[in-house]
Amino acid sequence: MLMDIRMLGCGSAFAKEFYNNNAILYAGGKKLLLDCGTTAHVAMRQLGFSLAELDGVLITHIHADHVGGLEELAFQLKFQFKRRIPLYIAEPLTGILWEHSLRGGLEQEGLLSLSDYFDVRPMREGVPYEVLPGLVAELLQTPHIPGKLSYSVLFGPSFFYSSDMIFVPELLERLVAERGVETIFHDCQLEPPGVVHTCLPQLLTLSGDLQRRIHLMHYGDAQPDYVGRTGEMRFVEQHRLYSF
């Protein structure tokens, strides 16, 4: 698997200095938007990235910092670029995304469903799907907000993207030992307690071997104060291209 990833933003939902924790993945000459939060369009504009370049979008869960930019994406693709790109999303979330997040803004005469804007590709947990040429994605349901479905993503055999999740060390250990994961992009709330996100003190309890695989994302505005205080882990840098 050859894959590049560029974080459009690395910030937590309430960070003001960093954009929403969204990314663009590159593989096989194609581009996939990973989540589309409220700041995604500003970040893409700063990078000189046109929506006409997108070959798909994958959504991990339904919070505004992950789906708040989907209405604009849908309208621009439909009316400006005349395109209907694949939307990869966990099967149980498809109806929720439309009914609870997008319908109020997108529904109009002749446009009555999510599939009127996107080529909806429902994903089942634990089943691999080719989302870009040569790049396979597998959803893993992981705990975030009680009662709300949220998913992490395993790309290929070796790259794990947590999206938003509470601390589950046994999952990380199993992914490394049983699935051969080499790189982990993990959300990181800098201060405890880790109620709906994994917090830095929890991650610092992991073994050195695990820490060396972890890149920290989804952090708060105090991030500069924590540089050099993350053990063997390092912070993901906004807009930098990483190759795996």
Side-chain angles (χ1 to χ4, degrees), residues 2 16 22 33 47 58 62-63 92 94 97 126 128 136 152 179 189 225 231:
L2 297 176
K16 299 298 181 285
N22 308 159
L33 180 62
L47 288 168
L58 190 157
I62 301 176
H63 275 149
T94 54
L97 177 63
V136 172
S152 298
R179 302 296 297 271
Q189 180 179 302
D225 298 333

Side-chain angles (χ1 to χ4, degrees), residues 111-203:
L111 300 170
L112 304 175
S113 70
L114 196 59
S115 60
D116 289 320
Y117 291 94
F118 296 100
D119 175 12
V120 182
R121 307 277 183 94
M123 301 173 72
R124 287 182 290 158
E125 182 186 4
V127 177
Y129 296 84
E130 187 176 47
V131 294
L132 289 178
L135 180 63
V136 172
E138 178 183 333
L139 295 182
L140 304 177
Q141 185 180 337
T142 42
H144 177 34
I145 302 291
K148 296 177 79 73
L149 290 172
S150 186
Y151 295 85
S152 298
V153 191
L154 181 62
F155 289 102
S158 61
F159 184 92
F160 177 72
Y161 185 92
S162 77
S163 191
D164 294 1
M165 61 180 280
I166 61 173
F167 190 47
V168 189
E170 58 273 16
L171 171 62
L172 303 179
E173 293 165 358
R174 189 166 65 250
L175 286 170
V176 171
E178 299 178 7
R179 302 296 297 271
V181 165
E182 298 173 358
T183 305
I184 298 169
F185 271 34
H186 207 299
D187 60 316
C188 177
Q189 180 179 302
L190 297 171
E191 302 90 5
V195 179
V196 297
H197 285 283
T198 300
C199 67
L200 179 57
Q202 291 172 320
L203 289 167

Side-chain angles (χ1 to χ4, degrees), residues 7 9-12 14-19 21 186-191 200 214-231 233-240 242:
M7 299 302 296
C10 297
S12 67
F14 306 132
K16 299 298 181 285
E17 297 299 322
F18 305 99
Y19 292 132
N21 200 81
H186 207 299
D187 60 316
C188 177
Q189 180 179 302
L190 297 171
E191 302 90 5
L200 179 57
I214 294 176
H215 299 249
L216 305 173
M217 62 181 187
H218 206 289
Y219 42 73
D221 287 337
Q223 182 265 357
D225 298 333
Y226 287 82
V227 173
R229 299 167 56 187
T230 59
M233 300 173 287
R234 72 222 76 171
F235 286 111
V236 178
E237 298 177 28
Q238 183 172 319
H239 295 179
R240 175 180 169 185
Y242 294 84

